[in-house]
Amino acid sequence: MGILAFIAGLLPGNAQTQSPKLGKSSVKAVIAAMSLEEKVKLVVGTGGDFPDLTTAKKNEAAVPAMSAVDLVPGAAGTSYVVPRLGITPMVLTDGPAGLRIQPQRPNDSKTYYCTAFPVATLLASTWDTELVKKVGTAMGNEVHEYGSDVLLAPAINIQRNPLCGRNFEYYSEDPMLTGNIAAAMINGVQSQGVGTSLKHFVANNSEDNRNALNTIVSQRTLREIYLEGFRIAVEQAQPWTVMSSYNLVNGVYTSENYDLITKILRNEWGFKGFVMTDWYGGTNAVAQMKAGNDMIMPGRPKQIEEIINAVKSGALDIKVLDKNVEHILTVMLNSPHFKGYKFSDKPDLTAHATVARAAATEGIILLKNSDNALPLASSVKKIASFGNAGYDTFSGGTGSGDVNEAYTVTISQGLTNAGFELEKTLKTQYENYISEAKSKHEKPADPIAALLEPNHGVTEMGVEMLSARLLADECDAAIITIGRNAGEGNDRKNVEGDFKLTQTELSMIARVSTAFHKVGKKVIVILNIGGVIEVASWRDMPDAIVLAWQGGQETGNSIADILSGKVNPSGKLTSTFPMKYEDVPSANNFPGKATGKSTVPPGVDFGWVTGFIFPTPAEIIYEEGIFVGYRYYGTFGVKPAYEFGFGLSYTKFEYNGLKVASPDFKGKQSVSVTVKNTGAVAGREVVQLYVSAPASKIDKPKSELKGFAKTKLLQPGESQTLTFTLNAKDLSSFNTEASAWIADTGKYEVLIGASSSDIKLTGSFNLKKAIVSMKVNNVLAPQVTIKELSKK
Ligand code: BGC
């Protein structure tokens, strides 16, 4: 060795003695220094917590977590660490109603509770992007302070059918609303220096057979309905990561689909982060790498072997793997673990509870209010509270979206906190009944089965006519709470006790309404539900109906805020409530059908994970095409029970002064309208802008949401002018032949509404020359002909 080389060898940073370090050297230099095995282990993430599996099974099921998973017990998984190159762990934790971690730890007297915020559907029902951003900020702060790096949320699949078991985790049947609410959430969470994972990409709109469900859907429907929310959220907010879904789209697993992940997500929309699978999603690890699905969660040892062999045999170009690694490391550079953030484990849970309560209150929807039954009159002091869920309230749904919160304020507690007196005998009767029924229920011993077991609550106790009469004499008003719950892994059913009310519930509403009305007292139904239910057959009986959704840990307080009139309700529906299930456009195509048998090889048993890795093949056809939700009801003249965008207030609003800036469209169109509070109390109004496009060769829905805004709190007599801007894309439909979004020539109507059918003002403008607003790749075509619903 020459003298110079010897001296150089002593200097710091020398390549012979020191490896490059992430953050100090370029990402490319770090990748160049990684061994093949290190690269593959990074793209194959490490496991979650599998308390029920033996060590051997755990190791088979997922790559055992390096010490990393212990960083945050209850995390869903982590990424692999390579200390010599400065590659730190990224901790990935669920979402979306708050951070999901273990609240207690062995040999540790401290607790690690998180705030249960309202479910996603309720947040969207606020139509308030600023408020959603605030919720995201609080949630992101908990992610940061509890030592996680990425929140596995928001979840933005379209609520295609009211029975999807996960609808509560999703925002809406409309992609424009979905995308904008999601962007606000992502911006909020990521403002705290942590990441999000926008999921489940894409067309994962049902749960039965979810791990091998082939979604058959047209290109136009994919573009206009199912991809659109993701596009808006990615373009507006750049989530750090995207999670591909379990299902296949037109024959290819989404996680193995290059056209979807690379061509659309990265190339068309400019996504810059990394893509991970849903837990155990897809079957071909090498295809996932090639597709651009950078990380497999939680990876299994077999997948490491497969990828290494593919690189060695030349079946997988190392350059592809290097790109996957680069995507992951680039995100890692921003992560709290990489930055060495010393998390406190002490987020301000009290402040966040206030945010949760305000959000829950804003998203409550008043569906009915005859004779101003609400807010409760000041003479109402003593309330008879019927229905189990009034005492055993649902704060959120089940599954990975279930937050471990310190407490849930039940509806009865909320009313008591607000100063109402709850009739004691009835209360005690319910409490005893519920606790006895619960003590008899055996939870599955398997913790995952227990997690995924839908907690439908205790069977309704029911009410006798005689006791309803006695209580009516004694109390000033009645509330009846109807509860429903669901979660991932299973869809709901159009049966009694799920979509439909049970006979016991129906007779409870009938008896209580009859008894209380007889003595001139009001009856309020509260819906503590996670998804749409049947309302048409019973809604005439009570005086008022309050759709409270599942409002997180502060549910009871927020409902009391509305009932007492402390807050004027301003939520509006983000999905249609049909008259009956059979009216739903996808009713005949939900939840899909099994097309084969599970593929578990003989003798293989990974415990509860088995069904995920070897699922039953199934298929679902989206024959309703673009006519999802109000696009269907409006276009085909099918009257819903409560339409998209509907919600009442304790005050009244007048709409006037619609101004469409220009008679001709010149690249942009500005629309403004003035809303005045003409009632007696302060309130907020959600103003919706729909566009009705001119008839063209392709079907157009009657109208589509293209703008929305919520007024500030308007005092009686106060007005506010709201301005919207429409661009060429807002006027466009996806034209499959041209593989482009095209705005056709003709007259465009602007409809300003308080809901999708309560249109207050209309205007119009012309488009003289068609505009191609976005040219895209001709990809994701179905291999079979779909008999799509059409107006023609
Ligand atoms: C769910 C995802 C979740 C993941 C990790 C999966 O079963 O579909 O939404 O993020 O588990 O817990």
Side-chain angles (χ1 to χ4, degrees):
M1 184 188 287
I3 184 75
L4 284 179
F6 175 76
I7 293 169
L10 299 177
L11 295 174
N14 182 279
Q16 287 173 11
T17 53
Q18 262 194 344
S19 309
K21 285 271 187 304
L22 190 65
K24 298 209 171 72
S25 320
S26 70
V27 168
K28 289 219 160 44
V30 172
I31 297 172
M34 290 173 83
S35 69
L36 175 61
E37 196 184 326
E38 284 166 343
K39 290 176 187 173
V40 177
K41 285 191 167 164
L42 185 71
V43 296
V44 173
T46 71
D49 245 345
F50 306 125
D52 57 326
L53 297 187
T54 60
T55 310
K57 287 239 166 72
K58 271 185 209 178
N59 294 353
E60 261 179 282
V63 178
M66 313 266 307
S67 55
V69 84
D70 303 326
L71 290 173
V72 183
T78 53
S79 64
Y80 183 74
V81 294
V82 188
R84 74 181 182 90
L85 299 173
I87 297 179
T88 50
M90 267 188 290
V91 177
L92 315 172
T93 35
D94 279 302
L99 180 68
R100 176 179 169 76
I101 57 173
Q102 292 291 344
Q104 270 143 16
R105 297 176 184 173
N107 311 318
D108 184 348
S109 58
K110 287 205 299 274
T111 55
Y112 301 81
Y113 287 109
C114 297
T115 306
F117 292 94
V119 296
T121 309
L122 184 151
L123 290 179
S125 304
T126 66
W127 298 63
D128 184 341
T129 49
E130 259 172 55
L131 181 95
V132 172
K133 189 171 173 204
K134 253 188 226 157
V135 172
T137 305
M139 228 184 253
N141 177 262
E142 293 189 19
V143 176
H144 202 215
E145 292 309 327
Y146 276 132
S148 177
D149 297 275
V150 175
L151 181 73
L152 302 172
I156 68 161
N157 297 90
I158 289 294
Q159 295 172 342
R160 168 179 178 254
N161 183 293
L163 301 186
C164 171
R166 276 188 112 162
N167 275 351
F168 71 97
E169 293 189 68
Y170 303 147
Y171 292 133
S172 170
E173 68 188 19
D174 180 81
M176 188 262 176
L177 180 59
T178 293
N180 282 281
I181 298 286
M185 175 57 79
I186 295 166
N187 283 330
V189 174
Q190 295 192 168
S191 72
Q192 298 302 295
V194 293
T196 53
S197 193
L198 186 63
K199 67 190 187 183
H200 310 88
F201 191 55
V202 66
N204 178 185
N205 311 96
S206 47
E207 287 297 296
D208 286 4
N209 296 317
R210 64 177 175 166
N211 297 78
L213 182 67
N214 182 21
T215 302
I216 299 175
V217 52
S218 75
Q219 286 168 294
R220 178 178 179 197
T221 301
L222 264 175
R223 291 281 180 176
E224 289 191 12
I225 307 293
Y226 299 101
L227 287 166
E228 185 62 2
F230 284 93
R231 183 190 69 79
I232 295 169
V234 166
E235 291 187 354
Q236 281 187 22
Q238 276 292 343
W240 287 14
T241 79
V242 165
M243 186 190 292
S244 51
S245 53
Y246 282 129
N247 54 291
L248 303 87
V249 169
N250 294 329
V252 185
Y253 274 105
T254 56
S255 59
E256 299 170 12
N257 198 326
Y258 180 84
D259 288 344
L260 178 71
I261 294 178
T262 298
K263 284 198 183 162
I264 296 183
L265 177 65
R266 280 193 193 283
N267 300 350
E268 287 182 16
W269 303 346
F271 173 65
K272 295 194 177 60
F274 72 85
V275 178
M276 69 179 87
T277 61
D278 196 350
W279 269 229
Y280 302 107
T283 54
N284 184 334
V286 175
Q288 288 173 326
M289 293 299 106
K290 288 184 181 171
N293 190 115
D294 309 298
M295 193 184 273
I296 300 176
M297 281 309 299
R300 282 175 289 133
K302 194 167 156 278
Q303 293 166 319
I304 298 183
E305 217 180 287
E306 282 166 7
I307 300 175
I308 290 182
N309 290 343
V311 173
K312 286 190 177 154
S313 73
L316 177 66
D317 189 340
I318 187 76
K319 285 200 199 110
V320 171
L321 187 63
D322 286 351
K323 257 274 163 272
N324 301 128
V325 171
E326 187 183 331
H327 292 149
I328 299 171
L329 294 184
T330 308
V331 168
M332 188 178 291
L333 283 169
N334 294 321
S335 66
H337 268 107
F338 178 77
K339 291 182 174 168
Y341 181 67
K342 302 266 177 296
F343 51 92
S344 65
D345 275 331
K346 283 199 200 93
D348 188 346
L349 296 178
T350 313
H352 296 171
T354 311
V355 177
R357 177 172 177 169
T361 313
E362 278 294 304
I364 289 176
I365 303 168
L366 184 62
L367 292 178
K368 173 176 177 177
N369 195 16
S370 294
D371 276 341
N372 298 328
L374 289 176
L376 294 170
S378 54
S379 55
V380 174
K381 306 265 188 275
K382 192 170 181 185
I383 295 178
S385 169
F386 299 91
N388 297 346
Y391 304 91
D392 189 19
T393 302
F394 294 115
S395 58
T398 57
S400 58
D402 186 4
V403 179
N404 294 313
E405 67 269 37
Y407 64 86
T408 293
V409 179
T410 63
I411 296 170
S412 64
Q413 282 161 2
L415 289 169
T416 311
N417 294 345
F420 293 102
E421 184 194 341
L422 285 200
E423 202 288 318
K424 281 197 197 61
T425 322
L426 187 63
K427 180 170 183 279
T428 312
Q429 212 182 341
Y430 268 106
E431 284 170 349
N432 291 343
Y433 170 81
I434 292 165
S435 74
E436 200 187 316
K438 279 192 169 172
S439 69
K440 284 190 195 140
H441 175 75
E442 275 179 33
K443 269 238 162 235
D446 175 333
I448 300 296
L451 170 71
L452 296 181
E453 181 190 46
N455 163 21
H456 291 306
V458 170
T459 309
E460 194 56 66
M461 183 173 87
V463 180
E464 293 306 325
M465 194 65 220
L466 180 62
S467 76
R469 281 211 188 106
L470 294 173
L471 288 160
D473 286 338
E474 208 194 308
C475 300
D476 305 318
I479 65 164
I480 306 171
T481 308
I482 301 294
R484 285 292 182 277
N485 208 9
E488 67 180 285
N490 288 294
D491 288 308
R492 299 168 55 213
K493 307 283 173 275
N494 177 30
V495 291
E496 277 191 18
D498 208 337
F499 185 71
K500 293 181 184 160
L501 264 53
T502 61
Q503 285 310 317
T504 314
E505 287 169 330
L506 289 171
S507 59
M508 169 168 67
I509 297 176
R511 286 172 189 162
V512 172
S513 300
T514 309
F516 277 71
H517 288 163
K518 205 160 184 195
V519 288
K521 292 173 184 170
K522 304 285 187 202
V523 176
I524 319 296
V525 169
I526 294 170
L527 301 178
N528 175 212
I529 58 182
V532 170
I533 60 165
E534 191 276 326
V535 290
S537 68
W538 57 267
R539 64 175 165 179
D540 290 343
M541 292 189 269
D543 303 281
I545 305 174
V546 175
L547 174 53
W549 296 119
Q550 296 165 335
Q553 66 187 38
E554 292 287 327
T555 297
N557 284 334
S558 52
I559 292 172
D561 286 344
I562 294 292
L563 298 194
S564 66
K566 186 172 160 197
V567 179
N568 185 351
S570 63
K572 297 216 181 182
L573 288 179
T574 65
S575 273
T576 310
F577 271 60
M579 289 295 288
K580 53 184 189 302
Y581 179 69
E582 292 68 22
D583 287 346
V584 174
S586 55
N588 293 330
N589 286 291
F590 188 91
K593 298 180 186 71
T595 52
K597 291 223 155 62
S598 159
T599 48
V600 189
V604 170
D605 176 13
F606 292 155
W608 64 266
V609 186
T610 314
F612 281 67
I613 302 176
F614 304 104
T616 306
E619 136 185 325
I620 189 161
I621 310 177
Y622 287 12
E623 283 186 318
E624 73 286 358
I626 59 163
F627 295 109
V628 174
Y630 71 90
R631 285 171 169 76
Y632 169 76
Y633 297 97
T635 310
F636 290 87
V638 178
K639 205 177 154 20
Y642 296 110
E643 75 273 9
F644 176 83
F646 176 80
L648 301 171
S649 166
Y650 295 155
T651 188
K652 285 196 168 50
F653 298 99
E654 198 179 272
Y655 287 59
N656 53 52
L658 173 64
K659 284 199 192 83
V660 178
S662 159
D664 293 311
F665 186 81
K666 295 183 194 118
K668 270 195 176 16
Q669 178 66 277
S670 169
V671 176
S672 62
V673 61
T674 302
V675 177
K676 183 175 180 190
N677 181 352
T678 55
V681 290
R684 300 183 71 192
E685 171 72 325
V686 173
V687 180
Q688 301 153 47
L689 185 159
Y690 296 87
V691 169
S692 184
S696 97
K697 266 194 272 171
I698 60 170
D699 266 347
K700 303 265 174 163
K702 186 172 172 214
S703 65
E704 292 180 281
L705 183 75
K706 295 296 173 185
F708 64 91
K710 194 163 187 173
T711 65
K712 60 182 183 185
L713 186 72
L714 295 174
Q715 298 302 322
E718 198 182 358
S719 306
Q720 186 179 357
T721 300
L722 302 164
T723 304
F724 306 88
T725 307
L726 294 170
N727 58 34
K729 169 71 182 45
D730 295 325
L731 311 184
S732 306
S733 307
F734 185 74
N735 185 308
T736 311
E737 264 173 42
S739 261
W741 289 84
I742 298 177
D744 294 307
T745 53
K747 183 173 157 196
Y748 285 80
E749 266 185 281
V750 176
L751 317 168
I752 298 289
S755 80
S756 53
S757 54
D758 184 8
I759 302 303
K760 304 286 191 191
L761 299 167
T762 58
S764 67
F765 59 87
N766 285 303
L767 177 63
K768 290 205 176 112
K769 199 162 165 271
I771 304 175
V772 176
S773 57
M774 205 188 282
K775 177 92 184 120
V776 299
N777 293 290
N778 178 8
V779 290
L780 305 182
Q783 273 103 52
V784 292
T785 317
I786 304 171
K787 274 196 273 134
E788 267 195 352
L789 180 64
S790 165
K791 283 199 288 184
K792 302 197 162 142

